[in-house]
């Protein structure tokens, strides 16, 4: 059935996601690009919206704000990003 297929897909852990983020010197997010999907489009969209909603990103305690960042999200903290 349709519900059992959904349950099967949810039983597989999401893969780590990677996003390229461009920002201004004040931390304002200019662009977010998904580099690697988790395998679950709805989850990917939630993380992308969270990045955009976090604008401006926090500034580093030392040094300048980098223009380009690569952010990696690991959905399973016990296994890390493998």
């Amino acid at each position: 059935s349709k519900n059992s297929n959904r349950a099967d897909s949810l039983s597989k852990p999401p893969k780590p996601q990677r996003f390229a983020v461009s920002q201004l010197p004040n931390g304002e997010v200019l662009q977010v690009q998904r580099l690697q999907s988790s395998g679950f489009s709805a989850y990917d969209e939630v993380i992308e919206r969270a990045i955009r909603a976090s604008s401006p990103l926090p500034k580093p305690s030392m040094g300048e704000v980098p223009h380009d960042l690569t952010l990696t999200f690991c959905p399973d903290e016990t296994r890390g990003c493998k």
Side-chain angles (χ1 to χ4, degrees):
S1 77
K2 188 175 183 177
N3 286 341
S4 66
N5 289 340
R6 184 173 180 195
D8 289 344
S9 68
L10 294 176
S11 66
K12 298 175 188 172
K15 295 179 282 188
Q17 300 164 284
R18 288 189 174 75
F19 291 88
V21 179
S22 298
Q23 62 179 342
L24 292 174
N26 66 358
E28 180 183 340
V29 173
L30 294 174
Q31 183 177 4
V32 178
Q33 178 184 5
R34 187 179 315 143
L35 301 175
Q36 180 177 319
S37 171
S38 68
F40 296 90
S41 60
Y43 185 69
D44 294 341
E45 291 168 11
V46 166
I47 297 298
E48 185 171 336
R49 283 195 307 270
I51 294 169
R52 292 181 190 281
S54 297
S55 183
L57 296 175
K59 295 179 181 179
S61 58
M62 298 184 71
E64 295 185 17
V65 173
H67 182 266
D68 297 308
L69 298 170
T70 300
L71 303 179
T72 303
F73 294 86
C74 303
D76 186 348
E77 292 180 10
T78 59
R79 294 186 318 151
C81 281
K82 296 182 181 182

